[in-house]
Amino acid sequence: MQNFLELACERYSVRKYSDKEIEDEKLDKILKAAQVSPTANNSQPQRIFVIKSDDALKKIRSFTPYCFNAPIVLMICYDENVSGNAADGHDYGADDATIATAHMMLEAYDLGIGSVWVRGYDKRELDKIFDLPENLVSVALLPIGYPAENSKPSPLHSRNIDINDMVTYL
Protein backbone atom coordinates (compact mmCIF):
# COMPACT_ATOMS: atom_id res chain seq x y z
CA MET A 1 0.00 0.00 0.00
CA GLN A 2 1.30 3.44 -0.93
CA ASN A 3 2.06 6.06 1.69
CA PHE A 4 -0.72 8.68 1.70
CA LEU A 5 1.55 11.72 1.48
CA GLU A 6 3.42 10.17 -1.46
CA LEU A 7 0.11 9.51 -3.20
CA ALA A 8 -1.08 13.09 -2.54
CA CYS A 9 2.19 14.54 -3.85
CA GLU A 10 2.28 12.36 -6.99
CA ARG A 11 -1.36 12.83 -8.02
CA TYR A 12 -1.79 15.46 -10.70
CA SER A 13 -4.61 16.92 -12.79
CA VAL A 14 -4.91 14.81 -15.94
CA ARG A 15 -5.90 16.68 -19.07
CA LYS A 16 -5.24 13.94 -21.66
CA TYR A 17 -7.00 10.60 -21.42
CA SER A 18 -6.64 7.31 -23.24
CA ASP A 19 -9.60 5.48 -24.75
CA LYS A 20 -9.26 2.61 -22.26
CA GLU A 21 -12.50 2.00 -20.39
CA ILE A 22 -12.59 2.13 -16.61
CA GLU A 23 -13.45 -1.26 -15.18
CA ASP A 24 -16.73 -1.38 -13.22
CA GLU A 25 -14.95 -2.66 -10.11
CA LYS A 26 -12.63 0.36 -10.12
CA LEU A 27 -15.47 2.81 -10.72
CA ASP A 28 -17.31 1.20 -7.79
CA LYS A 29 -14.27 1.79 -5.55
CA ILE A 30 -14.05 5.43 -6.60
CA LEU A 31 -17.73 5.93 -5.79
CA LYS A 32 -17.31 4.05 -2.50
CA ALA A 33 -14.63 6.60 -1.53
CA ALA A 34 -17.29 9.32 -1.83
CA GLN A 35 -19.80 7.26 0.13
CA VAL A 36 -17.47 6.85 3.12
CA SER A 37 -16.19 10.44 3.12
CA PRO A 38 -16.95 12.44 6.26
CA THR A 39 -19.95 14.77 6.23
CA ALA A 40 -21.34 17.23 8.75
CA ASN A 41 -23.57 15.38 11.22
CA ASN A 42 -23.25 12.37 8.90
CA SER A 43 -25.97 13.93 6.73
CA GLN A 44 -24.41 12.45 3.56
CA PRO A 45 -25.89 15.02 1.14
CA GLN A 46 -23.49 14.25 -1.73
CA ARG A 47 -25.17 13.07 -4.90
CA ILE A 48 -23.08 11.88 -7.83
CA PHE A 49 -24.11 11.50 -11.44
CA VAL A 50 -21.94 9.17 -13.53
CA ILE A 51 -21.87 10.66 -17.01
CA LYS A 52 -20.75 7.96 -19.40
CA SER A 53 -23.39 7.42 -22.09
CA ASP A 54 -22.63 8.94 -25.48
CA ASP A 55 -25.65 11.24 -25.16
CA ALA A 56 -24.72 12.49 -21.68
CA LEU A 57 -21.06 12.99 -22.66
CA LYS A 58 -22.15 15.01 -25.73
CA LYS A 59 -24.27 17.21 -23.47
CA ILE A 60 -21.45 17.90 -21.03
CA ARG A 61 -18.89 18.50 -23.77
CA SER A 62 -21.28 20.91 -25.53
CA PHE A 63 -20.82 23.59 -22.90
CA THR A 64 -17.36 23.07 -21.37
CA PRO A 65 -14.05 22.11 -22.97
CA TYR A 66 -12.71 21.11 -19.56
CA CYS A 67 -13.77 17.47 -19.67
CA PHE A 68 -10.71 16.78 -21.84
CA ASN A 69 -12.49 13.88 -23.60
CA ALA A 70 -12.42 11.75 -20.46
CA PRO A 71 -14.47 8.56 -20.89
CA ILE A 72 -16.43 9.30 -17.69
CA VAL A 73 -17.32 12.57 -16.01
CA LEU A 74 -18.63 12.56 -12.47
CA MET A 75 -21.02 15.42 -11.66
CA ILE A 76 -20.88 16.07 -7.94
CA CYS A 77 -23.87 17.72 -6.31
CA TYR A 78 -25.41 17.96 -2.88
CA ASP A 79 -29.01 17.78 -1.74
CA GLU A 80 -30.07 20.93 0.13
CA ASN A 81 -32.95 19.00 1.70
CA VAL A 82 -30.57 16.82 3.73
CA SER A 83 -27.41 18.92 4.17
CA GLY A 84 -26.70 20.38 7.59
CA ASN A 85 -26.37 24.01 8.60
CA ALA A 86 -23.98 25.76 10.98
CA ALA A 87 -25.17 28.16 13.67
CA ASP A 88 -24.47 31.08 11.31
CA GLY A 89 -26.63 29.52 8.58
CA HIS A 90 -23.75 28.17 6.48
CA ASP A 91 -24.92 25.15 4.47
CA TYR A 92 -22.39 22.33 4.84
CA GLY A 93 -23.53 20.67 1.60
CA ALA A 94 -20.84 22.19 -0.63
CA ASP A 95 -18.18 21.34 1.96
CA ASP A 96 -19.37 17.73 2.15
CA ALA A 97 -19.50 17.38 -1.65
CA THR A 98 -16.00 18.86 -1.87
CA ILE A 99 -14.63 16.36 0.63
CA ALA A 100 -16.27 13.51 -1.31
CA THR A 101 -14.69 14.81 -4.53
CA ALA A 102 -11.23 14.89 -2.96
CA HIS A 103 -11.69 11.33 -1.72
CA MET A 104 -12.66 10.16 -5.22
CA MET A 105 -9.67 11.91 -6.80
CA LEU A 106 -7.25 10.20 -4.45
CA GLU A 107 -8.88 6.77 -4.75
CA ALA A 108 -8.85 7.09 -8.53
CA TYR A 109 -5.14 7.89 -8.52
CA ASP A 110 -4.43 4.96 -6.22
CA LEU A 111 -6.15 2.75 -8.82
CA GLY A 112 -4.09 4.19 -11.70
CA ILE A 113 -6.92 6.39 -12.94
CA GLY A 114 -6.43 10.08 -13.59
CA SER A 115 -8.79 12.93 -12.77
CA VAL A 116 -9.07 16.69 -12.88
CA TRP A 117 -11.27 18.88 -10.70
CA VAL A 118 -13.36 21.15 -12.93
CA ARG A 119 -15.39 24.21 -12.05
CA GLY A 120 -14.80 26.10 -15.31
CA TYR A 121 -18.40 26.22 -16.46
CA ASP A 122 -21.66 28.05 -15.92
CA LYS A 123 -23.39 26.11 -13.16
CA ARG A 124 -26.81 27.41 -14.21
CA GLU A 125 -26.31 25.97 -17.69
CA LEU A 126 -25.16 22.62 -16.30
CA ASP A 127 -28.20 22.42 -14.03
CA LYS A 128 -30.49 23.23 -16.97
CA ILE A 129 -28.86 20.78 -19.41
CA PHE A 130 -29.23 17.90 -16.94
CA ASP A 131 -32.57 19.14 -15.60
CA LEU A 132 -31.45 18.97 -11.97
CA PRO A 133 -34.22 19.40 -9.42
CA GLU A 134 -34.03 22.62 -7.36
CA ASN A 135 -32.87 20.81 -4.22
CA LEU A 136 -29.72 19.50 -5.97
CA VAL A 137 -26.82 21.93 -6.16
CA SER A 138 -23.97 21.10 -8.53
CA VAL A 139 -20.51 21.69 -7.08
CA ALA A 140 -17.95 20.28 -9.52
CA LEU A 141 -17.23 18.00 -12.42
CA LEU A 142 -14.64 15.27 -12.09
CA PRO A 143 -13.50 13.87 -15.45
CA ILE A 144 -11.83 10.49 -14.86
CA GLY A 145 -10.01 8.00 -17.02
CA TYR A 146 -6.70 6.34 -17.69
CA PRO A 147 -4.08 8.98 -18.51
CA ALA A 148 -2.88 9.07 -22.12
CA GLU A 149 0.70 7.92 -22.67
CA ASN A 150 1.83 11.51 -23.16
CA SER A 151 -0.08 12.88 -20.16
CA LYS A 152 2.09 14.75 -17.70
CA PRO A 153 1.65 17.17 -14.82
CA SER A 154 1.40 20.88 -15.47
CA PRO A 155 4.65 22.76 -14.78
CA LEU A 156 2.76 24.42 -11.90
CA HIS A 157 1.99 21.06 -10.27
CA SER A 158 4.95 20.98 -7.90
CA ARG A 159 5.06 24.72 -7.21
CA ASN A 160 3.90 25.20 -3.64
CA ILE A 161 4.03 28.19 -1.35
CA ASP A 162 6.41 27.93 1.57
CA ILE A 163 4.87 26.05 4.49
CA ASN A 164 5.62 29.04 6.75
CA ASP A 165 3.52 31.28 4.50
CA MET A 166 0.65 28.84 4.76
CA VAL A 167 0.72 27.80 8.41
CA THR A 168 0.43 29.98 11.49
CA TYR A 169 0.70 28.54 14.98
CA LEU A 170 -1.44 30.32 17.57
Side-chain angles (χ1 to χ4, degrees):
M1 180 177 270
Q2 185 171 24
N3 171 294
F4 175 78
L5 196 51
E6 288 174 9
L7 182 140
C9 288
E10 287 175 11
R11 191 227 150 256
Y12 68 95
S13 294
V14 174
R15 293 178 177 89
K16 289 184 181 179
Y17 294 91
S18 76
D19 293 334
K20 182 179 176 184
E21 283 192 36
I22 297 174
E23 299 86 344
D24 289 341
E25 312 80 55
K26 289 186 177 182
L27 179 58
D28 290 346
K29 286 182 179 183
I30 293 167
L31 297 170
K32 181 71 174 180
Q35 182 189 29
V36 301
S37 66
T39 60
N41 301 313
N42 200 30
S43 61
Q44 302 177 39
Q46 65 271 31
R47 302 294 181 261
I48 300 159
F49 293 85
V50 179
I51 299 170
K52 65 186 265 186
S53 72
D54 288 340
D55 183 48
L57 286 168
K58 276 183 197 168
K59 281 183 184 180
I60 203 109
R61 292 173 181 156
S62 73
F63 81 99
T64 180
Y66 302 116
C67 291
F68 305 103
N69 291 316
I72 295 177
V73 178
L74 303 176
M75 179 172 42
I76 298 91
C77 304
Y78 72 91
D79 185 340
E80 288 181 312
N81 292 341
V82 298
S83 59
N85 290 297
D88 66 1
H90 174 75
D91 186 333
Y92 292 126
D95 304 332
D96 294 337
T98 298
I99 293 166
T101 305
H103 272 60
M104 289 189 292
M105 289 171 58
L106 292 168
E107 177 62 18
Y109 186 78
D110 195 44
L111 296 169
I113 296 168
S115 66
V116 58
W117 188 301
V118 172
R119 186 53 182 91
Y121 57 88
D122 184 330
K123 177 187 150 0
R124 296 164 297 191
E125 192 174 341
L126 175 75
D127 295 353
K128 189 186 311 178
I129 286 172
F130 285 98
D131 197 26
L132 293 181
E134 286 187 28
N135 59 302
L136 291 187
V137 179
S138 60
V139 174
L141 298 174
L142 189 65
I144 61 173
Y146 287 98
E149 244 180 71
N150 62 347
S151 178
K152 61 184 177 194
S154 157
L156 299 176
H157 173 73
S158 57
R159 194 173 97 194
N160 299 304
I161 64 170
D162 187 276
I163 193 91
N164 294 313
D165 292 335
M166 185 180 74
V167 177
T168 301
Y169 290 91
L170 303 175

